């Protein structure tokens, strides 16, 4: 069964606008971590932000913030003030307890930032 | 600090051949994971090594294997290549591989099987 669902295959956003990328997850593990990665056309996966299941506050990293709604099993990424360099594929991922090195990824959302 | 280094960057092989991909993790990182990325299946976990031991394995056939050396460098091998093995193979490293550690990825090896 799909554990990470990203329902937006692609989206356009104008430069300097904010964009929200949706992510829902499914797990019965009470202790898990949620990650967002960015993959530009070069192929490298770039870490953006992390949220632990027990974290009380939503994570923030510069222009990136995570809207974590635990009861709804939702972990949406918000990118504020989009830049042309933000054009990339964005992946939501989850790691469960004792899943050494294993991240379960969603299908990704392709973001294109337009001038 | 050098990032995760994967070699080679591109590979072209024919069906039935075997291939070895290499990954050098960030200095101090002892956990190395491998992922396969294809347009159809997305990102799928292959296996993870820590201190030369495989700790976790994904759902891939035995043709996919790996190993880790004492300096934490890792290799993965695919034997008897099939057309469906064409993919971007990504290596990731972290200190110990525990739940809240972020994984640092390399740029990947693009494998094409003809």
């Amino acid at each position: 069964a799909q554990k990470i669902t990203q329902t937006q295959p692609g989206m356009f956003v104008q430069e300097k606008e904010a964009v929200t990328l949706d992510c829902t997850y499914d797990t019965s593990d009470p202790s898990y971590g949620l990650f967002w990665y960015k993959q530009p056309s070069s192929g490298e996966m770039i870490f953006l932000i992390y949220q632990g299941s027990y974290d009380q506050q939503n994570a923030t990293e510069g222009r990136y913030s995570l809207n974590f709604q635990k009861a709804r099993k939702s972990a949406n990424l918000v990118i504020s003030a989009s830049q042309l360099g933000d054009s990339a594929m964005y992946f939501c991922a989850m790691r469960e307890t004792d899943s050494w090195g294993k991240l379960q990824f969603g299908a990704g959302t392709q973001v294109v930032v337009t001038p | 600090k050098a990032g995760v280094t994967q070699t080679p960057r591109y590979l072209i092989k024919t069906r039935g051949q075997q291939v070895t991909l290499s990954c050098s993790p960030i200095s101090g990182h002892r956990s190395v994971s491998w992922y396969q990325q294809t347009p159809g299946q997305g990102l799928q976990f292959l296996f993870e090594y820590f201190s030369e031991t495989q700790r976790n394995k994904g759902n891939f056939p035995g043709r996919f294997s790996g190993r880790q050396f004492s300096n934490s460098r890792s290799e993965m091998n695919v034997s008897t290549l099939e057309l469906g093995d064409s993919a971007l193979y990504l290596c990731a490293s972290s200190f110990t591989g525990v739940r809240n550690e972020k994984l640092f990825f390399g740029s990947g090896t693009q494998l094409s099987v003809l």
Side-chain angles (χ1 to χ4, degrees), chain A residues 38-46 85 87-89:
Chain A
K38 167 185 175 182
Q39 187 179 41
S41 55
S42 60
E44 182 180 356
M45 299 284 282
I46 301 167
S87 293
M89 195 74 162

Side-chain angles (χ1 to χ4, degrees), chain B residues 24-79:
Chain B
S24 292
I26 290 172
S27 178
H29 286 191
R30 295 165 63 194
S31 169
V32 175
S33 306
W34 288 89
Y35 290 81
Q36 182 197 64
Q37 185 176 22
T38 60
Q41 299 297 317
L43 280 148
Q44 294 185 286
F45 171 77
L46 282 156
F47 30 64
E48 186 259 6
Y49 286 87
F50 179 81
S51 291
E52 303 178 64
T53 300
Q54 185 183 89
R55 284 194 305 193
N56 202 358
K57 188 177 187 306
N59 295 324
F60 278 83
R63 299 186 296 108
F64 292 82
S65 63
R67 60 177 176 169
Q68 187 180 35
F69 302 95
S70 58
N71 61 357
S72 295
R73 189 177 71 85
S74 177
E75 288 181 347
M76 70 162 280
N77 183 276
V78 188
S79 63

Side-chain angles (χ1 to χ4, degrees), chain A:
Chain A
Q2 189 73 14
K3 290 217 169 189
I4 301 290
T5 302
Q6 294 181 253
T7 57
Q8 306 153 309
M11 52 199 310
F12 288 93
V13 59
Q14 277 204 309
E15 209 176 356
K16 299 179 186 175
E17 287 188 350
V19 60
T20 298
L21 307 183
D22 296 340
C23 173
T24 57
Y25 58 92
D26 182 29
T27 182
S28 56
D29 186 346
S31 181
Y32 53 89
L34 297 161
F35 300 75
W36 277 92
Y37 281 85
K38 167 185 175 182
Q39 187 179 41
S41 55
S42 60
E44 182 180 356
M45 299 284 282
I46 301 167
F47 168 80
L48 296 177
I49 197 165
Y50 166 81
Q51 180 85 41
S53 60
Y54 293 119
D55 294 342
Q56 295 296 312
Q57 291 190 315
N58 286 343
T60 59
E61 292 274 0
R63 294 187 298 112
Y64 305 105
S65 61
L66 202 151
N67 184 1
F68 181 47
Q69 298 186 49
K70 192 171 181 177
R72 296 181 59 187
K73 294 189 175 179
S74 163
N76 297 340
L77 175 72
V78 180
I79 306 174
S80 63
S82 296
Q83 302 171 354
L84 295 177
D86 293 335
S87 293
M89 195 74 162
Y90 288 80
F91 291 95
C92 178
M94 177 176 66
R95 180 192 274 165
E96 296 169 309
T97 302
D98 293 337
S99 59
W100 308 110
K102 178 182 179 180
L103 285 175
Q104 298 175 78
F105 285 89
T109 296
Q110 181 72 51
V111 172
V112 176
V113 180
T114 59

